[in-house]
Amino acid sequence: MRRLLLIIFSVVVGLSNACSGQPIPVPHKPMAVILDTDMDSDIDDVGALAMLHCYEKAGKVRILGVIVTSDEQHSAICTDAINTYFGRGDLPIGVSQRDSLKAFSKYTQAVSQEFPHKLLSSKDAENSTSLYRRLLAGEPDGSVVIITIGHLTSLSKLLNSQPDAISTLSGQALVAKKVKRWSCMGGQFPSGKEANFYRPDPASTVNCLAKWTLPVTFAGWEVGNQLVTGGVDFKERCQPNSPIYRGYELYNNFKGRASWDQVAILEAVEGVSSYFSLIKDGHCVVSADGSNEWKSPINSMHGYLAIKSTPNAIRKRIEMLMLGNF
Ligand SMILES: [Ca+2]
């Protein structure tokens, strides 16, 4: 009887919503995200990953896995330690390179030694192409957002990949079927030469842009460069026994750093919102040396960001998210 009354109540409420023209709430579905990072020489990747975990805790995203496109030997382990700190030690990590790794990061080794993680070596991580393919194959069509905050070697390898035991589709076809859009920290707009595009693998940038047919938003160098985060005021609010605190401490002892990578995360999850304008009057052309230029004619899939609100408002929002406050 109680169940019957509940059903009648639900029907009546539903009808009244329909009759009043009020939209019936649809349950929110978190956005499925793959992050592709070069967590090594710079610290903004750490801030970006912290933001992504904050969004996940707030129910905005579902992180599928992290691709580590780096030749630094502790980069993947450090990424695993950060994921573990945020309760996602289960996240798969794919690496672009397992051999001939170098040690040049100011923080990845210390974070790896000081914080728990499961991954003992990059050699134990999955190959980036196979992880990309496995994650994409397991998701509904047109649903995955790829965020790249490093150079494009792994994405290029994915796009070049051939059908295999994971999927009968080529990498390009798999991306076209499963991906919704790409948020890319890279390039300088309207023209310039930026590290993710030219160092160490400009051929991959050219290949990615040639093979990419879906919406892509570029968060250029000039945007994040205006947004310094991780300074002394951040230090006062950051949990001292966290890998985020240690990373920024080891990097430059909280002198602050531009938020190039965090912009790509912010835009990927919140859209241009009140913070950015999306310039769509042309398309991005990358030369063989990795320099880029915004040119006509319009490619409706391409857009790049410009700051619309004040840099300080965006900077504050980024730091809030880096601190875990949605
Ligand atoms: Ca980066």
Side-chain angles (χ1 to χ4, degrees):
M1 185 62 184
R2 197 175 159 203
R3 189 156 175 244
L4 181 65
L5 285 172
L6 270 173
I7 291 167
I8 292 167
F9 176 76
S10 303
V11 168
V12 169
V13 169
L15 280 175
S16 67
N17 276 341
C19 293
S20 67
Q22 294 294 315
I24 298 167
V26 177
H28 171 73
K29 205 174 166 198
M31 175 197 294
V33 169
I34 299 173
L35 179 69
D36 189 331
T37 169
D38 61 343
M39 188 170 295
D40 49 41
S41 60
D42 219 313
I43 192 66
D44 52 339
D45 296 80
V46 170
L49 183 54
M51 284 174 75
L52 202 55
H53 281 290
C54 178
Y55 280 129
E56 184 168 73
K57 282 195 172 24
K60 295 290 177 189
V61 308
R62 179 168 57 91
I63 309 172
L64 302 180
V66 182
I67 305 292
V68 176
T69 305
S70 175
D71 61 351
E72 210 279 336
Q73 61 177 303
H74 300 100
S75 182
I77 309 167
C78 175
T79 302
D80 189 35
I82 294 172
N83 290 340
T84 304
Y85 175 78
F86 287 106
R88 292 303 314 274
D90 60 311
L91 279 177
I93 290 178
V95 294
S96 59
Q97 194 173 332
R98 291 197 180 103
D99 301 310
S100 308
L101 300 177
K102 302 165 191 140
F104 56 85
S105 171
K106 292 178 181 170
Y107 62 88
T108 57
Q109 183 171 10
V111 168
S112 302
Q113 288 168 345
E114 294 171 23
F115 294 89
H117 53 84
K118 271 197 289 198
L119 193 64
L120 299 179
S121 157
S122 288
K123 290 188 194 309
D124 302 328
E126 196 168 342
N127 167 276
S128 62
T129 306
S130 105
L131 181 59
Y132 252 137
R133 291 180 60 82
R134 190 164 66 76
L135 295 176
L136 290 177
E139 292 299 312
D141 292 354
S143 66
V144 179
V145 174
I146 292 177
I147 308 174
T148 60
I149 54 174
H151 55 95
L152 299 172
T153 307
S154 295
L155 187 63
S156 178
K157 286 180 180 172
L158 165 67
L159 289 164
N160 288 345
S161 65
Q162 297 301 308
D164 58 9
I166 298 168
S167 169
T168 55
L169 299 176
S170 69
Q172 212 178 343
L174 187 61
V175 165
K177 189 171 164 64
K178 299 293 183 176
V179 173
K180 185 177 181 187
R181 59 186 294 258
W182 170 23
S183 175
C184 171
M185 191 283 123
Q188 186 172 359
F189 294 88
S191 65
K193 197 171 177 184
E194 183 276 328
N196 283 351
F197 273 15
Y198 80 83
R199 192 178 62 199
D201 189 8
S204 283
T205 312
V206 173
N207 185 52
C208 284
L209 262 74
K211 292 185 174 164
W212 194 265
T213 57
L214 299 163
V216 49
T217 300
F218 300 99
W221 177 88
E222 69 289 348
V223 178
N225 201 51
Q226 299 176 58
L227 311 168
V228 175
T229 53
V232 283
D233 54 334
F234 176 79
K235 177 187 178 182
E236 283 162 16
R237 291 175 292 151
C238 189
Q239 188 65 243
N241 57 351
S242 75
I244 312 308
Y245 185 102
R246 275 301 273 154
Y248 276 85
E249 183 178 44
L250 290 160
Y251 181 72
N252 66 1
N253 201 20
F254 301 100
K255 289 188 175 64
R257 188 64 174 155
S259 303
W260 299 289
D261 290 350
Q262 292 94 322
V263 171
I265 306 286
L266 185 65
E267 187 280 328
V269 182
E270 300 192 27
V272 291
S273 63
S274 60
Y275 300 125
F276 305 107
S277 307
L278 188 60
I279 315 296
K280 289 185 66 69
D281 59 355
H283 71 290
C284 179
V285 178
V286 180
S287 302
D289 68 353
S291 60
N292 72 281
E293 201 176 345
W294 188 254
K295 282 184 168 176
S296 55
I298 291 171
N299 176 341
S300 62
M301 295 295 153
H302 286 203
Y304 73 88
L305 297 178
I307 289 179
K308 187 165 76 179
S309 67
T310 64
N312 201 38
I314 306 173
R315 192 191 67 74
K316 281 184 176 171
R317 176 68 180 145
I318 287 172
E319 278 203 342
M320 219 173 100
L321 293 159
M322 283 165 58
L323 291 164
N325 304 315
F326 180 72

